[in-house]
Amino acid sequence: MSLGNSVTFLAGSYIFREGDKGNCAYILEKGKVLITISKEGENVPVAILTSGELFGEMAIIDGLPRSASAFALEDCELAVISESLLSERVSTAEPIVQLLISLLIKRLRSVNMKFKGDGSLEDRNQVIKPIMGDLARKHLKMESDMVRGLARKEFFLVYQGIFDLKTRDLVGFEALARWQNPLRGLVSPAEFIDVAEQTSVIIPLGDWILEQGFKDLLILQKELGRTDLSMSINVSARQLNDPDFSRRIQELQGRVQVNPKNVKLEVTERVFQEGQHILETIKKTAEHGFSFAMDDFGTGYSSLTSLFNMKVNTIKVDRSFVSTLIKDSRSKAIVHAVVAMALELGIDVVAEGIEHEDEAVLLAALGCQLGQGYLFAKPKSLDDVLLQFSLNKQVA
Ligand code: C2E
Ligand code: CMP
Ligand code: CA
Ligand code: CA
């Protein structure tokens, strides 16, 4: 990576002065730099920097004037780090890391000002606002609420049926996570799964989802008298990134005594961004008998490449294609081609988000075997699912 230009400062010169506007940071490649803070007209030394050290970063990150002066004690060679390069790094960092950076800078400025004897505590707090407050704070709070929520059993699973499009028979379920928090109310997985994935909360949460899903599959199979029913469980890239995933799911399967052939792990193309080792984990897990489904198929940038790189048993055609199928001939052509390709590769196809009868009829005519959506069943609690399908069984 190019760090940009180098500049030289002769011994005895100022690199910048306290209060200047900052436009770059520096890495000291050779020489010695004295950092000073002005106190009652005097320059008071606070640090001596030697080669390899970075300085001048604070004004770039928080946009305030230089917090101290930098003075070359020897002839210095400095690598210039441009404002854009540094800001880009900070703005693309994980939100909680951004919050920590801004907090630490705020604290250092505050210590410097206290040292100078300037300003009251209120003044200092007012001048220096954290750069990236809200989102990071929201995520941090949600993460700690989730950890507590797990301990307090606030999470639960709902199940949505998956059906044979020709016979309309039930073939299995997808487990979908829900979070009922006393203060937040019912939180959608679209909101909390992303935050859980950015932190390590997804690991205990994901473990709990797998265990509950396995146990409920046994109940569903037993109560509905159908040992062939399957359970699809969403698994995030972060879970599969854990090298121990494959051993733990096998241990869980042995403990709960579920048949791995009835368990489908749904992954999205995001798993491919994490690197080769995830594919190894998937391969190992598949060798234990679990099958894999490619979720939201067609929405990523590399759907076909992902099929090439990973052996999946099922493709789930994204709802965006299903909902436009009737009106948009391009959606129809795409679904048609995906179904034909899947057939050739020996892969099942599930169409997601079917809401209307004409969509189900057309999908079946295009050769799509399986479907899921509000037309057939909404996601429901285990008790409601049992009630619905055991009633159907009695009627049949
Ligand atoms: P997904 O895996 O694509 O799940 C399908 C989503 O579409 C579910 O939303 C489901 O309720 C909704 N849906 C099903 N049929 C219809 C329909 O006919 N019309 C419409 N408009 N929507 C339909 P949900 O439950 O809110 O889940 C959203 C996403 O959150 C899921 O998308 C999945 O990516 C993630 N998610 C849910 N549960 C889990 C979980 O246990 N683990 C992980 N890692 N992610 C999960
Ligand atoms: P910036 O505020 O951009 O310009 C002055 C630089 O001096 C500052 O970034 C830090 O890199 C550094 N600096 C400020 N205060 C201290 C301190 N107390 N100790 C060490 N380095 C400091
Ligand atoms: Ca899914
Ligand atoms: Ca999906």
Side-chain angles (χ1 to χ4, degrees):
M1 181 186 67
S2 158
L3 291 174
N5 304 325
S6 270
V7 285
T8 308
F9 283 86
L10 295 179
S13 58
Y14 274 97
I15 299 159
F16 54 71
R17 289 175 196 265
E18 185 178 336
D20 286 355
K21 187 178 168 339
N23 52 12
C24 62
Y26 300 96
I27 293 175
L28 181 54
E29 296 198 310
K30 220 170 95 194
K32 254 188 200 152
V33 168
L34 177 70
I35 303 288
T36 62
I37 294 179
S38 62
K39 184 178 180 187
E40 292 153 7
E42 299 269 310
N43 277 333
V44 183
V46 290
I48 292 180
L49 311 180
T50 54
S51 68
E53 291 194 76
L54 174 78
F55 66 100
E57 76 295 345
M58 290 168 57
I60 304 302
I61 294 171
D62 68 9
L64 291 173
R66 296 288 190 196
S67 61
S69 300
F71 180 81
L73 286 175
E74 297 172 0
D75 290 354
C76 289
E77 247 172 62
L78 306 172
V80 179
I81 313 294
S82 72
E83 177 168 9
S84 60
L85 193 143
L86 204 65
S87 322
E88 193 201 320
R89 287 299 165 98
V90 176
S91 66
T92 54
E94 207 268 316
I96 307 238
V97 176
Q98 290 186 17
L99 174 74
L100 293 175
I101 292 170
S102 67
L103 262 182
L104 289 173
I105 290 184
K106 181 177 162 168
R107 300 232 200 285
L108 183 58
R109 281 195 185 266
S110 182
V111 168
N112 284 357
M113 281 175 85
K114 189 169 167 201
F115 174 79
K116 288 153 67 85
D118 285 2
S120 65
L121 187 64
E122 289 73 32
D123 286 348
R124 273 184 265 136
N125 275 340
Q126 254 180 16
V127 183
I128 305 150
K129 296 250 183 283
I131 42 163
M132 243 303 303
D134 287 355
L135 186 64
R137 261 198 303 268
K138 216 176 118 195
H139 280 191
L140 201 55
K141 176 80 172 58
M142 189 180 259
E143 185 190 354
S144 71
D145 283 357
M146 272 193 272
V147 171
R148 210 169 318 128
L150 256 175
R152 293 183 181 166
K153 301 193 175 9
E154 291 170 10
F155 290 89
F156 62 99
L157 294 180
V158 288
Y159 298 100
Q160 185 176 31
I162 299 174
F163 296 83
D164 184 306
L165 282 178
K166 257 200 204 127
T167 61
R168 303 285 169 110
D169 282 342
L170 177 73
V171 299
F173 297 93
E174 175 174 4
L176 294 159
R178 297 287 180 266
W179 179 21
Q180 181 72 52
N181 179 266
L183 293 174
R184 297 169 182 270
L186 186 62
V187 191
S188 148
E191 243 182 285
F192 70 80
I193 290 286
D194 266 3
V195 178
E197 271 186 44
Q198 284 164 22
T199 66
S200 53
V201 180
I202 195 69
I203 304 293
L205 178 63
D207 280 353
W208 176 83
I209 291 169
L210 285 167
E211 179 158 356
Q212 195 62 45
F214 282 14
K215 287 179 174 164
D216 287 350
L217 173 61
L218 287 187
I219 296 175
L220 286 161
Q221 287 181 333
K222 181 164 173 271
E223 296 296 317
L224 303 179
R226 294 266 314 268
T227 50
D228 60 315
L229 290 175
S230 66
M231 181 64 80
S232 297
I233 301 180
N234 295 284
V235 179
S236 80
R238 181 87 186 244
Q239 282 172 274
L240 290 164
N241 214 1
D242 176 359
D244 201 32
F245 177 85
S246 149
R247 188 198 61 77
R248 278 185 298 119
I249 194 169
Q250 198 190 7
E251 184 272 324
L252 178 68
Q253 175 260 320
R255 183 155 50 84
V256 180
Q257 284 295 302
V258 76
N259 187 340
K261 112 176 186 312
N262 298 123
V263 175
K264 275 201 179 117
L265 302 173
E266 297 197 359
V267 298
T268 63
E269 286 167 45
R270 266 156 83 173
V271 295
F272 295 100
Q273 289 163 9
E274 304 282 330
Q276 185 62 29
H277 61 287
I278 276 207
L279 294 180
E280 294 297 320
T281 304
I282 291 176
K283 211 169 136 218
K284 246 202 283 169
T285 311
E287 280 163 11
H288 296 319
F290 294 96
S291 48
F292 279 86
M294 183 61 69
D295 205 354
D296 305 339
F297 189 78
T299 57
Y301 293 109
S302 54
S303 300
L304 292 182
T305 318
S306 56
L307 277 191
F308 182 72
N309 287 331
M310 177 186 151
K311 207 172 156 290
V312 293
N313 312 79
T314 306
I315 286 174
K316 296 193 80 171
V317 174
D318 190 65
R319 177 158 62 93
S320 53
F321 296 104
V322 173
S323 60
T324 51
L325 195 62
I326 302 291
K327 289 205 180 92
D328 189 340
S329 58
R330 287 172 310 167
S331 287
K332 187 175 152 189
I334 290 169
V335 174
H336 194 51
V338 169
V339 170
M341 177 188 68
L343 194 72
E344 191 85 10
L345 293 170
I347 295 173
D348 290 340
V349 181
V350 179
E352 294 189 292
I354 305 176
E355 293 185 358
H356 304 106
E357 181 61 34
D358 51 358
E359 292 163 353
V361 171
L362 180 52
L363 282 161
L366 292 175
C368 180
Q369 310 101 313
L370 303 169
Q372 179 180 357
Y374 296 166
L375 173 69
F376 306 111
K378 286 201 166 170
K380 288 180 182 165
S381 69
L382 179 71
D383 287 345
D384 288 349
V385 168
L386 285 171
L387 204 65
Q388 179 186 358
F389 291 106
S390 41
L391 275 181
N392 284 355
K393 207 173 73 177
Q394 280 161 23
V395 172

